[in-house]
Amino acid sequence: LARKYYNFYIMQQQYLKVLDIGHSGKSPDEAMMILETTVSQCSFENRVKAIKVITGHGSGKLRNIVRAWCNDQEGRFNKVIYGEDYDMFNKDAVNMRSDCNQPLDNDFGRKNAAITYIWLR
């Protein structure tokens, strides 16, 4: 029974992909290539509904680059939700969590600016 529950839990988790480009040691250009490749692959495979992009706290440079890139992709994503807005008062955040069957995300409500959520179409 525990194994069956574990497999179900893993299936639930696959709707939200976590991508940590902030702690990868890559340059901003390399990190953005990884992000673009991941978004394209997830969109093509149509198994992942959202990507949690961890940019790290640092200077904020990578976060700003990621968010500017997301804004430049107008119409490509359902929504882009900044970590500091990811709480129960944000209708888009609540709807994305529901779409992803993601009740267990530890960053929900933490106002974490080092994270950006990309809700795919």
Side-chain angles (χ1 to χ4, degrees), residues 5 8 10 22 28 32-33 41 64 85 87 90 99 101 104 107 109 117:
Y5 175 76
F8 175 75
I10 294 299
M32 291 307 298
M33 285 192 325
Q41 182 179 10
N64 294 337
D85 300 326
D87 60 30
N90 182 317
D99 189 40
N101 293 321
L104 301 175
D107 285 301
Y117 290 85

Side-chain angles (χ1 to χ4, degrees), residues 100-117:
C100 294
N101 293 321
Q102 194 62 36
L104 301 175
D105 188 347
N106 292 334
D107 285 301
F108 189 65
R110 287 203 173 160
K111 308 268 184 219
N112 188 348
I115 296 172
T116 301
Y117 290 85

Side-chain angles (χ1 to χ4, degrees), residues 88-102:
M88 65 183 182
F89 302 108
N90 182 317
K91 182 179 83 166
D92 294 328
V94 171
N95 290 339
M96 183 196 76
R97 285 168 49 86
S98 176
D99 189 40
C100 294
N101 293 321
Q102 194 62 36

Side-chain angles (χ1 to χ4, degrees), residues 4-43:
K4 193 180 260 189
Y5 175 76
Y6 177 77
N7 288 338
F8 175 75
Y9 180 74
I10 294 299
M11 288 177 63
Q12 293 274 329
Q13 292 293 313
Q14 74 183 359
Y15 292 124
L16 180 69
K17 180 172 185 65
V18 178
L19 179 65
D20 186 350
I21 57 174
H23 303 100
S24 65
K26 306 283 186 192
S27 72
D29 287 340
E30 291 171 316
M32 291 307 298
M33 285 192 325
I34 292 168
L35 176 59
E36 172 62 45
T37 301
T38 301
V39 166
S40 294
Q41 182 179 10
C42 289
S43 295

